Amino acid sequence: MDRSEKHLCIKCNEGGNLLVCSENGCPLAIHEGCMGCPARFDDAGRFYCPYCLYKQAVAESRQAREYALARKKALLIFMDEEMMGSEQHLEEIKRAEADGHDLSKVSPANANVTCDDGKSRGKDETILNKSVLDLEHQSSSSEEEKIQEEESDASTSSKGQEPSLKMYEKEKVRNAEGKKIQEEEPETSATSTDRDPSLKMHENKNCNPEEEQIQEEECETSSAPSAEGPSPTVRTRTKRGFKNSDQIDGDSGTVSLQRKLVKQSGKSKLTTPTVNHPRRSSRRLSSALGSAQMLNDKVVASRSLRQPRQPLVKLANYTFSSGKRKRLLWTEEEEETLKAGVQKYSTDGNKNLPWTKILDFGQHKFDRTRTPSDLKDKWRNMMAK
DNA sequence: ATAGGGTTATGA
DNA sequence: TCATAACCCTAT
């Protein structure tokens, strides 16, 4: 415990039995009783002032963010088959690794944090003026706000924090000087609970891939062509590649289905700028992350026989949805059923046809993976002929 | 829930 | 390369 009689208390400006901050270069000295909050000591009994602890926390937060970004970058490269293995991108991964330091190396107690903006204060420097401290606290607060603004996705859960940081977090609650931090805390905890979708993706592995595979196979068999229908080979569906439709959103970290508009062939006729529209994003997300279970819940709720038809991509232990259903041609029986359904439910010139009802009407004839929208699209095609 | 425009896989 | 059909996305 660093107690000194050489200094004056930063609060009452008197000498006596003072605690001196052990952080390198920090001249803060204070009576334990003047703290206004419990004094904090590390395992070795060294005292650290709330200010230094806060600075450490901010530094660690930044480092955690850098680490998260670096990991995200590596994931991005990992997910893109075209990029995988190339010299250039191996370099990128290495750079990402170097940029984001391993969190395990970060320890608030030994983090290379000084009490100022990089310059170390001399031990003999005059006692910090309280107003100076306040100013610096403000600046570091705004610094943290900036970080928080930037990081909508940094997954710095308090779980992985070092004991001394946890200790400080508890202290924040009581610490009057840490009031601002306290206000920001809900956001921080929100980031850890309302987690980055890209992390949720990893939870996808518990979606019982085997069961999904079985369902998939069931779909295949259930959609066997009728006698007059197209040959089985025609009905064969191909799986679209993961890389074709899935991308990691660089900002949100979500696995998005943003279509690659810039086709290498330049074939794409329309260059609709794909804005990150909220609705689109959410749909992309559910589609991309779309564990069969998620889809199941949605579909089964409206129609018990409906099945998801989601091509799945297995990557190590994880199962991803490739985001787009496999192409399934319509059988003649389905077309006939569709005609019959439209005829039955047709009202005013085939406007606003109740596709859901029509789907229910022919639920034993339509493939179980058909959706009302599929019926609508098919009818449109048939009418176009 | 549906309509309608856009995207993409597929085969000629 | 192009037409087509299936599928996707978003506005209403």
Side-chain angles (χ1 to χ4, degrees), chain A residues 51-153:
Chain A
Y51 172 63
C52 289
L53 285 172
Y54 175 62
K55 289 289 281 185
Q56 287 170 358
V58 170
E60 187 175 326
S61 163
R62 185 188 296 116
Q63 206 156 0
R65 177 173 164 271
E66 282 169 9
Y67 180 71
L69 290 173
R71 298 316 318 165
K72 188 194 289 179
K73 193 171 183 182
L75 176 61
L76 234 170
I77 294 166
F78 168 71
M79 299 291 259
D80 194 329
E81 286 173 24
E82 286 170 13
M83 295 165 91
M84 278 173 74
S86 81
E87 283 290 320
Q88 183 196 344
H89 292 103
L90 284 174
E91 276 304 307
E92 278 195 45
I93 292 176
K94 282 180 192 166
R95 260 205 312 279
E97 298 279 358
D99 289 349
H101 312 290
D102 190 333
L103 276 181
S104 61
K105 293 176 197 155
V106 184
S107 161
N110 60 16
N112 189 19
V113 179
T114 53
C115 286
D116 56 20
D117 38 292
K119 304 165 208 159
S120 61
R121 290 192 193 109
K123 282 267 181 194
D124 54 348
E125 195 174 355
T126 49
I127 294 171
L128 279 174
N129 186 308
K130 198 180 167 196
S131 61
V132 172
L133 251 183
D134 286 342
L135 267 177
E136 293 202 357
H137 277 235
Q138 276 173 21
S139 72
S140 49
S141 292
S142 57
E143 198 178 350
E144 188 175 25
E145 279 165 10
K146 202 171 106 192
I147 292 168
Q148 290 204 346
E149 274 171 24
E150 286 172 10
E151 65 174 331
S152 58
D153 59 347

Side-chain angles (χ1 to χ4, degrees), chain A residues 294-348:
Chain A
M294 271 172 70
L295 291 158
N296 243 350
D297 291 343
K298 240 185 195 175
V299 176
V300 168
S302 63
R303 192 160 167 271
S304 59
L305 287 175
R306 253 170 247 166
Q307 298 286 321
R309 190 194 337 149
Q310 210 74 11
L312 303 168
V313 177
K314 275 190 155 185
L315 214 48
N317 288 328
Y318 305 119
T319 305
F320 302 89
S321 154
S322 76
K324 186 159 183 170
R325 294 183 300 165
K326 286 180 289 183
R327 197 178 165 96
L328 175 64
L329 294 180
W330 281 69
T331 63
E332 277 191 27
E333 185 184 28
E334 284 181 304
E335 289 183 4
E336 291 307 316
T337 309
L338 180 58
K339 281 181 199 167
V342 169
Q343 205 163 11
K344 181 177 179 186
Y345 291 98
S346 174
T347 50
D348 51 339

